[in-house]
Amino acid sequence: MEIDPLVFRLSIFILSIFIGYYVVWSVTPSLHTPLMSVTNAISSVIIVGAIIAGLAGNSDTIFNTSSIFGFLAISLAAINIFGGFLVTQRMLAMYKKKKKGK
Amino acid sequence: MLSANLSAIFYLISGVLFILALRGLSSPETSRQGNFFGILGMIIAVVVTFFSIGNFSTGFVVVLIFLLIGGLIGAFIAYKIPMTAMPELVAGFHSLVGLAAVFVAIAAFLNPEAFNLGSPGKIKLGSLIEMSIGAAVGAITFSGSIIAFLKLQGIMSGSPLTFKGQHTLNALILISIIVITYLLCSTQSPNLFWILLAISFLIGFLLIIPIGGADMPVVISMLNSYSGWAAAGIGFTLENTALIITGALVGSSGAILSYIMCKGMNRSFFNVILGGFGATEQSASSKNKEQKPVKSGNADDAAFLMKNASSVIIVPGYGMAVAQAQHALREMVDTLKKNDIKVSYAIHPVAGRMPGHMNVLLAEANVPYDEVFELEEINNDFANADVAFVIGANDVTNPVAKSDPQSPIYGMPVLDVEKCKSVLFVKRSLSPGYAGIDNDLFYKENTLMLFSDAKKMTEDITKNL
């Protein structure tokens, strides 16, 4: 009997929760704000689904209802991806060590 | 066109890169590299999606245009946003993730062929369940984050909004979400799908309005977690490993942050969710505060105390950020350091309005991160320090949390500021803080109150040093 692929995805999901648990506990508290902005950015990998929806129509029907929702989702996710990674970058650039000889 | 197996492997790689992105945040030195891994993972995921569809006609151009529009808006916001507004920004971003999840679910529901999920009206059962979960959680994230955003911006009052039968109503709606999901799966009716979305938006809204401004750190972390679960739900629908891994990471990350924030306030998670905190206790303690003697001083006195100290601990709170005093504070500390006085910063877990907010604000003011300490790291040092300089913080220093079991904040971990030889407390008045309770610290023998705007007082002290 074959195993349903859903079970495999569920395994990945459960294991990832555990990875997340241990990885996030090791994040230093002073970086919790960048953690939130970067998780924001990476959860926007949902853009993958938006792109599939956006490209679903053939050349005569680029703008059917489904792909319009796709296009809108692409923009929303893109705001998050660019905004999230860049603002994280900006924050992390401010975390400096004490300069020597000061 | 990429084969399904090959693209699945690439998605796995991007999932691993996202794990490394979070791993990098374990220390400031590795964090920038971590962020780079995150960006790389995202690029891989997007490019692989394009190649696995292999459609580079007009639609591709339209997709790029929408991508570019969003990207430009995002980049613009990222460069313009002041660091004090990070909580609002993050709340706003959460709402976008939620809405994007809803839109993707709608697109998949309307055009299941494109996602390989069957045909309209005959969507595979498993996919339909996953899709409904993703859409419902996404909708809750969206409307909840909008309310959080409005509360943080001050557009909507931060005080909790409660009414009779609120919890019953919420419970009924939650049950109806489950019932409708069940009906939707058995009938595949589009109308039920829209109803499901509508009530999910409604419940997101209803869940957040009773939660007060002081609990916003918990709310933001919680919505962070929801946005992850929404992404994971969609990930199952799309059978996409990168999305499933990311959703699980973000979901558990938000849950852990909520837990840390709740612990920082000694509140249970359910207590926060049920809301209403900060509305009831306000009147209880306002009676006998005027009678107690308070020592107040000016910048000159404060400068004198600090000049003669050998170690000073700074306790910043959100009030410092409101007064934009962080740069003035750094200048004061620089002057102190020139006089060979040891200075460190003590940060309470719930200082600021989101996890780690105060650290970012200090970092922006060029405070080196190795001078900044968390509560557990520094709490024993107060007994040996000469001066504690409390600026814009209040409840997190209140010794009542240790002594009075009647107090609403009893049991909350607090900074042992009162153990210092002397305490300088910068505050505009004796008014109570967020929790609505009087701070015993004001009336202690060794406390000197500095009644002034935080920024102005700090500048005056620097002049007098």
Side-chain angles (χ1 to χ4, degrees):
Chain A
M1 214 175 104
E2 253 184 81
I3 300 172
D4 192 314
L6 177 69
V7 178
F8 285 116
R9 284 192 285 278
L10 202 62
S11 320
I12 294 173
F13 180 63
I14 302 289
L15 291 176
S16 300
I17 292 178
F18 277 92
I19 294 174
Y21 180 85
Y22 290 107
V23 169
V24 171
W25 272 116
S26 76
V27 170
T28 164
S30 65
L31 291 175
H32 276 165
T33 299
L35 171 68
M36 295 198 93
S37 59
V38 87
T39 50
N40 227 313
I42 63 173
S43 57
S44 302
V45 74
I46 203 161
I47 198 169
V48 166
I51 293 172
I52 298 174
L55 287 179
N58 50 37
S59 43
D60 331 311
T61 57
I62 299 175
F63 292 101
N64 60 35
T65 329
S66 163
S67 42
I68 287 174
F69 275 112
F71 292 138
L72 292 177
I74 289 172
S75 280
L76 295 176
I79 294 178
N80 256 326
I81 293 171
F82 282 75
F85 279 126
L86 287 172
V87 87
T88 310
Q89 190 95 335
R90 211 181 120 198
M91 273 189 275
L92 294 178
M94 298 184 313
Y95 281 81
K96 292 181 205 114
K97 252 203 162 133
K98 190 156 53 177
K99 284 189 196 95
K100 276 169 198 156
K102 202 179 171 186
Chain B
M1 202 170 141
L2 234 53
S3 82
N5 286 330
L6 196 57
S7 46
I9 288 174
F10 276 114
Y11 285 131
L12 182 63
I13 294 174
S14 96
V16 171
L17 285 168
F18 291 149
I19 296 174
L20 292 176
L22 300 195
R23 182 75 188 109
L25 290 170
S26 57
S27 95
E29 289 101 68
T30 55
S31 61
R32 279 172 284 261
Q33 193 192 22
N35 200 40
F36 172 74
F37 283 139
I39 295 171
L40 193 64
M42 189 60 75
I43 293 172
I44 291 177
V46 171
V47 171
V48 165
T49 309
F50 281 133
F51 277 104
S52 66
I53 300 172
N55 173 357
F56 292 100
S57 57
T58 345
F60 177 68
V61 179
V62 181
V63 167
L64 280 190
I65 291 171
F66 276 91
L67 188 75
L68 209 64
I69 295 172
L72 282 175
I73 299 173
F76 180 77
I77 297 171
Y79 280 111
K80 283 282 167 200
I81 193 91
M83 285 300 146
T84 39
M86 276 316 289
E88 291 96 305
L89 179 75
V90 169
F93 278 171
H94 286 157
S95 72
L96 297 184
V97 179
L99 196 60
V102 172
F103 283 178
V104 172
I106 294 176
F109 185 78
L110 294 177
N111 188 3
E113 283 112 337
F115 295 86
N116 236 339
L117 307 173
S119 55
K122 288 197 190 84
I123 301 174
K124 281 186 266 175
L125 179 65
S127 310
L128 193 57
I129 298 174
E130 292 152 4
M131 200 187 293
S132 313
I133 295 174
V137 180
I140 294 172
T141 312
F142 171 70
S143 54
S145 300
I146 293 284
I147 300 299
F149 176 82
L150 294 177
K151 285 197 172 194
L152 287 164
Q153 274 281 15
I155 298 170
M156 205 171 134
S157 158
S159 60
L161 208 88
T162 47
F163 54 88
K164 233 181 146 196
Q166 194 162 26
H167 300 318
T168 328
L169 179 68
N170 289 352
L172 282 177
I173 295 178
L174 285 175
I175 293 169
S176 65
I177 286 181
I178 297 169
V179 174
I180 291 172
T181 309
Y182 175 77
L183 291 176
L184 174 65
C185 291
S186 49
T187 63
Q188 306 244 355
S189 143
N191 286 336
L192 284 175
F193 185 71
W194 301 122
I195 294 173
L196 176 70
L197 284 181
I199 57 171
S200 301
F201 280 125
L202 183 68
I203 189 73
F205 173 77
L206 287 172
L207 278 176
I208 308 300
I209 49 165
I211 302 181
D215 287 334
M216 278 305 147
V218 183
V219 172
I220 297 184
S221 320
M222 192 179 83
L223 291 166
N224 187 235
S225 181
Y226 286 1
S227 70
W229 304 131
I234 301 294
F236 274 100
T237 319
L238 304 184
E239 311 184 342
N240 184 304
T241 329
L243 205 41
I244 295 176
I245 295 178
T246 315
L249 289 178
V250 178
S252 51
S253 162
I256 292 172
L257 290 175
S258 320
Y259 171 77
I260 296 175
M261 290 297 105
C262 285
K263 221 176 99 210
M265 295 191 289
N266 189 37
R267 309 264 314 277
S268 79
F269 189 65
F270 282 102
N271 188 301
V272 173
I273 299 299
L274 293 178
F277 187 72
T280 43
E281 294 100 355
Q282 223 109 32
S283 56
S285 55
S286 52
K287 273 180 259 162
N288 51 5
K289 78 168 123 176
E290 300 306 328
Q291 291 98 318
K292 286 190 258 177
V294 168
K295 275 199 294 184
S296 77
N298 55 28
D300 208 14
D301 305 328
F304 178 79
L305 267 173
M306 284 206 259
K307 243 189 290 186
N308 291 305
S310 61
S311 70
V312 174
I313 297 179
I314 314 253
V315 182
Y318 188 67
M320 176 199 77
V322 174
Q324 292 288 332
Q326 53 271 45
H327 292 274
L329 181 69
R330 219 246 12 270
E331 275 164 35
M332 184 188 92
V333 170
D334 284 348
T335 322
L336 287 174
K337 278 197 238 163
K338 269 186 212 134
N339 294 324
D340 283 329
I341 299 164
K342 186 177 168 279
V343 186
S344 33
Y345 298 80
I347 301 207
H348 192 275
V350 293
R353 297 174 100 181
M354 70 185 285
H357 191 198
M358 202 48 62
N359 303 77
V360 172
L361 293 172
L362 289 177
E364 191 194 14
N366 287 324
V367 172
Y369 65 81
D370 45 7
E371 289 174 12
V372 181
F373 298 93
E374 304 300 316
L375 178 114
E376 311 89 65
E377 297 173 314
I378 201 168
N379 228 5
N380 292 326
D381 296 353
F382 281 107
N384 305 318
D386 297 305
V387 176
F389 187 74
V390 183
I391 175 164
N394 186 356
D395 294 329
V396 297
T397 63
N398 198 340
V400 156
K402 288 176 284 190
S403 58
D404 179 9
Q406 302 297 315
S407 167
I409 62 165
Y410 180 71
M412 171 172 128
V414 288
L415 292 158
D416 296 334
V417 175
E418 76 281 359
K419 289 189 182 146
C420 266
K421 288 199 190 76
S422 44
V423 177
L424 295 168
F425 211 115
V426 185
K427 207 170 178 308
R428 257 169 302 189
S429 71
L430 280 178
S431 63
Y434 251 146
I437 42 172
D438 208 17
N439 192 340
D440 270 5
L441 198 60
F442 299 164
Y443 316 107
K444 288 263 173 162
E445 191 67 16
N446 57 353
T447 303
L448 189 68
M449 297 298 294
L450 307 166
F451 292 114
S452 166
D453 172 70
K455 188 177 179 191
K456 192 171 168 300
M457 178 53 73
T458 320
E459 284 166 350
D460 288 350
I461 295 174
T462 315
K463 274 182 218 142
N464 281 306
L465 275 169

